[in-house]
Amino acid sequence: MNNFNPADNIQDLQYFGEFGGVNPSISDSSTYTFLSAKTMFDTFEGNMEGCYLYSRHSSPSNLYLDKALAAMEGTETANVSASGMGAITPTLLQLCGAGDHIVSSRTIYGGTYAFLKNFAPRMGIKTAFVDITKLDVVEAAITPETKVLYCETVSNPLLEVADIAGLSKIAKKHNLTLVVDNTFSPLSVTPIKLGADIVIHSLTKYINGSSDTVGGVTCASQEFINSLKDVNSGASMLLGPTMDSMRSASVMKNMRTLHLRIKQHSYNAAYLAERFEKDGLKTVYPGLASHPSHKIYASMINPEYGFGGMMTVDVGSLAKANALLELMQSKNLGYLAVSLGFYKTLFSAPGTSTSSEIPLEEQAEMGLTDGLIRFSIGLDNDIERTYQMMKACMQELSIL
Ligand SMILES: *Cc1c(COP(=O)(O)O)cnc(C)c1O
């Protein structure tokens, strides 16, 4: 995979619609006819490659998007789902059952954390939450029951970086499946290249990029995706988090500009992070030399896509953070909203929003402070102009 370029891989896919259209036709059926009864039986038994049986299992439109996402991540195949959580939960439930154990990063998406902490124990699945940047701590948490090592490439909201190659070595040594949520770093990082086994995305964020839908994907081997979709025992098939065909066609069209968007998000975020840090603000961005994982992240990325569009600044207190969020929104610098990957900048205070599932004392322990603001930097054309306007807001509130 040395010459692997995820955007070139997507570019190399060719589609022809039913009538020769440059976009594939959108499949508008929940069920499919069979010319012979025998083919129907074989399809339900999983023996008929290329036959569709029912759209909860797969549909032509979803398979097109699966193919594009598998090309991006360098996996054999993929399975799209109705949301990111709709990819994460079936994947983990397929890998683990009662009595099994997961070692997970403690700084993960709030919904994933809540699932592992509060919901998975109801199925008899326990999780140890660890500081994923300390490989010795990760390895020490592994028990004979551990089946899965789980992390985010760049964590939400603290932008900690997982050393995927290092984690992969540990996973292989202990026969674990390394599952990586790559939502914050599509194109920039290709986890499979670094030894991950399964890569997950919330398509809701950068990949779709227009904040008009939720969606998710699991990118993995054909064998694992077949198991997820198995009519008798597949967690995706049986729990039913299926993406609608209309939506998958729409997400695929947005994906065609992903490489351009990621480059611009990265350029703009790096620009602001460098200036805010120089101005004396406590700024966290993996592209800054001051970031604790800067070197390792620089060695992990496909460099042309940069260090991504996410950054945080700490403005000292929740009151100041809230005042700044409201002021920036009133100046049309972006939206006070959760989520990420939109064309406009989105900002929020994660301690009271997306990470509120995490108890306050645990937030403090992991360095999630009250005054922390998370930015998903937008596609602004003139980022110097944006910088000047943001700086003026900070000066008005005596933050700078
Ligand atoms: C948003 C997000 C999810 C959940 O995705 P949904 O599409 O909202 O279900 C999972 N992981 C990360 C890192 C996210 O940012």
Side-chain angles (χ1 to χ4, degrees):
M1 290 188 87
N2 278 343
N3 295 320
F4 181 86
N5 185 311
D8 293 346
N9 254 25
I10 298 168
Q11 167 99 32
D12 287 345
L13 296 171
Q14 191 178 40
Y15 301 93
F16 290 106
E18 206 174 348
F19 304 105
V22 293
N23 288 303
S25 311
I26 301 174
S27 49
D28 196 25
S29 296
S30 57
T31 190
Y32 302 82
T33 58
F34 289 86
L35 292 179
S36 84
K38 170 82 170 76
T39 317
M40 180 180 265
F41 174 79
D42 286 342
T43 303
F44 270 88
E45 292 291 295
N47 301 330
M48 284 301 290
E49 187 72 20
C51 282
Y52 298 98
L53 50 99
Y54 187 64
S55 284
R56 175 155 38 80
H57 181 265
S58 52
S59 66
S61 293
N62 287 8
L63 290 189
Y64 283 129
L65 182 58
D66 290 345
K67 210 169 171 188
L69 290 159
M72 178 181 85
E73 288 299 357
T75 55
E76 283 175 9
T77 187
N79 183 46
V80 295
S81 51
S83 69
M85 290 308 294
I88 292 166
T89 56
T91 298
L92 293 174
L93 292 174
Q94 196 67 32
L95 292 167
C96 299
D100 291 339
H101 180 253
I102 296 173
V103 174
S104 169
S105 165
R106 63 184 184 184
T107 53
I108 50 173
Y109 178 70
T112 312
Y113 180 87
F115 172 72
L116 290 173
K117 175 132 183 153
N118 307 324
F119 199 96
R122 288 166 51 183
M123 328 258 121
I125 302 165
K126 294 212 175 86
T127 301
F129 295 98
V130 298
D131 180 344
I132 203 74
T133 63
K134 301 206 166 82
L135 294 180
D136 53 335
V137 172
V138 172
E139 188 159 21
I142 294 169
T143 73
E145 284 71 44
T146 308
K147 292 284 183 314
V148 167
L149 197 50
Y150 186 90
C151 68
E152 296 174 3
T153 309
V154 180
S155 79
N156 182 8
L158 293 170
L159 310 180
E160 284 180 350
V161 174
D163 172 2
I164 296 174
L167 292 168
S168 165
K169 274 198 199 116
I170 295 174
K172 290 204 163 56
K173 180 172 158 198
H174 296 272
N175 203 18
L176 313 180
T177 303
L178 175 58
V179 181
V180 178
D181 179 337
N182 200 30
T183 299
F184 275 36
S185 45
L187 302 183
S188 289
V189 177
T190 306
I192 293 290
K193 228 166 69 172
L194 302 166
D197 299 298
I198 296 176
V199 181
I200 290 178
H201 283 276
S202 165
L203 304 177
T204 314
K205 316 298 169 53
Y206 287 106
I207 292 176
N208 185 54
S210 52
S211 293
D212 57 358
T213 187
V214 289
V217 69
T218 304
C219 301
S221 65
Q222 189 71 56
E223 186 187 359
F224 183 71
I225 298 299
N226 286 352
S227 77
L228 266 183
K229 296 189 349 180
D230 189 285
V231 283
N232 293 307
S233 59
S236 288
M237 183 63 184
L238 300 176
L239 296 171
T242 313
M243 179 177 269
D244 182 71
S245 289
M246 302 280 191
R247 252 329 161 187
S248 59
S250 156
V251 172
M252 200 173 79
K253 282 177 270 191
N254 288 344
M255 222 184 132
R256 292 174 182 152
T257 56
L258 181 63
H259 57 302
L260 302 172
R261 291 186 279 114
I262 291 291
K263 286 175 191 177
Q264 187 74 16
H265 284 301
S266 287
Y267 177 82
N268 285 353
Y271 191 98
L272 292 178
E274 276 162 28
R275 275 150 192 84
F276 285 139
E277 183 172 63
K278 266 203 198 98
D279 291 337
L281 266 187
K282 209 172 139 201
T283 309
V284 175
Y285 181 65
L288 293 174
S290 60
H291 190 284
S293 305
H294 174 68
K295 280 217 178 81
I296 184 118
Y297 199 49
S299 76
M300 285 165 59
I301 59 172
N302 301 311
E304 66 185 289
Y305 304 107
F307 290 87
M310 300 301 296
M311 59 176 253
T312 69
V313 298
D314 192 335
V315 297
S317 71
L318 183 61
K320 276 196 168 161
N322 286 342
L324 181 61
L325 295 172
E326 288 172 10
L327 184 59
M328 287 191 298
Q329 178 162 260
S330 75
K331 305 280 187 201
N332 199 14
L333 282 161
Y335 294 113
L336 200 184
V338 298
S339 199
L340 48 131
F342 198 37
Y343 80 104
K344 280 261 199 188
T345 295
L346 302 178
F347 32 75
S348 58
T352 51
S353 58
T354 48
S355 297
S356 55
E357 292 93 340
I358 303 171
L360 285 176
E361 59 274 20
E362 287 177 41
Q363 288 191 25
E365 203 181 301
M366 59 176 75
L368 215 168
T369 49
D370 266 0
L372 196 77
I373 296 179
R374 183 183 83 169
F375 286 87
S376 161
I377 303 298
L379 299 171
D380 305 26
N381 176 54
D382 181 351
I383 196 65
E384 170 63 21
R385 174 170 165 263
T386 302
Y387 166 65
Q388 292 300 341
M389 289 168 74
M390 283 185 175
K391 194 171 161 178
C393 292
M394 292 179 191
Q395 282 166 336
E396 187 176 327
L397 298 170
S398 307
I399 292 164
L400 276 183

